[in-house]
Amino acid sequence: MSDENKRMFSLIAKNYDKTNRLISLGADSGWRKVAAKECVTNKKAVRVLDVATGTGELAIAIARQMAKEDKEAYILGLDFNKDMLKIAREKIAKKGMKNIEFAMGDALALDLGSNEFDIVTSGFALRNFDDLQQFIRESYRVLSPGGKIVFLDVAKPDSIFNKIFEKYYFNIVPLMGAKYSKDAYVHLITTAWRFDKGKLPQMAKSVGFINPKIKNLTFGTAFIFTARKPKRAKR
């Protein structure tokens, strides 16, 4: 991600979780739970890579879901922002969660071996990647054959409630974020409104993924994108 994005996320890191609750009217927690359920596989033990992990909320949700399903899970959360990672590490330390690790990492050039993970996830980051195609390509590379991507994000609602949400996001949300960084939250909302989730299936297919699916949540204000790496992948 760009230096400007790094600066922006550092500004809002401390209050990122709190403001996300306000922006989504509390729905973001439920969205993560749905995404976490998508990560459950038939395997007893799974390795999960959470890219752009931020403050670790999705990684924690996945760990909890795996525990409910009596699955063993190792989760590695990567992020480019040390301020976000500091908060993430403090969270798991307080919760005593031993199966999650966090590290600095570049989503577009993952310093990881090929075929290492069963699941690659990302929460609320797709629209901020400088090269989304490259991120999808890297996700494919580090996934083991038969592995799955689970991407959670927000986008412009494709429903009759479009205008209602537009007024809420562009008039009320900036006021919520003004205390921390109005410009940062205007940027986050604007990128969400411009993001075309419909391009994801073709982007995924172009690097080798199969069975791409988009699941809309809360009238389309959020969505989960999934796809699988073939069991007999070419690379």
Side-chain angles (χ1 to χ4, degrees), residues 125-186:
L126 298 182
R127 64 197 190 279
N128 292 310
F129 290 135
D130 295 328
D131 187 340
L132 180 54
Q133 183 74 66
Q134 176 61 17
F135 168 61
I136 293 174
R137 187 178 294 111
E138 278 290 86
S139 297
Y140 184 93
R141 181 182 65 79
V142 300
L143 273 175
S144 60
K148 182 180 181 181
I149 52 173
V150 179
F151 300 156
L152 168 66
D153 215 323
V154 291
K156 182 179 180 178
D158 44 6
S159 69
I160 60 174
F161 299 99
N162 185 301
K163 293 298 181 183
I164 295 174
F165 283 109
E166 183 175 14
K167 288 182 179 180
Y168 172 70
Y169 283 128
F170 284 98
N171 294 312
I172 299 176
V173 168
L175 295 177
M176 292 179 178
K179 181 180 179 181
Y180 314 119
S181 175
K182 183 177 179 179
D183 289 343
Y185 282 96
V186 168

Side-chain angles (χ1 to χ4, degrees), residues 30-40 58 62 121-122 150-152 217 224:
W31 296 339
R32 290 189 189 91
K33 288 179 181 178
V34 177
K37 289 179 181 178
E38 288 283 351
C39 296
V40 177
L58 181 55
I62 294 170
T121 64
S122 184
V150 179
F151 300 156
L152 168 66
L217 307 171
I224 294 173

Side-chain angles (χ1 to χ4, degrees), residues 40-89:
V40 177
T41 72
N42 292 328
K43 288 188 174 183
K44 178 64 178 178
V46 294
R47 290 175 58 84
V48 181
L49 175 65
D50 184 36
V51 184
T53 194
T55 60
E57 286 289 281
L58 181 55
I60 291 169
I62 294 170
R64 286 173 171 165
Q65 185 63 42
M66 292 297 180
K68 287 181 181 179
E69 302 283 343
D70 196 27
K71 304 282 187 180
E72 295 176 16
Y74 165 70
I75 303 168
L76 174 60
L78 297 182
D79 204 276
F80 71 109
N81 189 284
K82 60 182 177 56
D83 298 301
M84 289 281 194
L85 289 176
K86 180 176 183 293
I87 295 171
R89 292 187 178 110

Side-chain angles (χ1 to χ4, degrees), residues 204-217:
K205 286 180 179 179
S206 71
V207 302
F209 280 107
I210 59 174
N211 300 328
K213 297 177 182 177
I214 295 175
K215 176 188 288 187
N216 286 321
L217 307 171

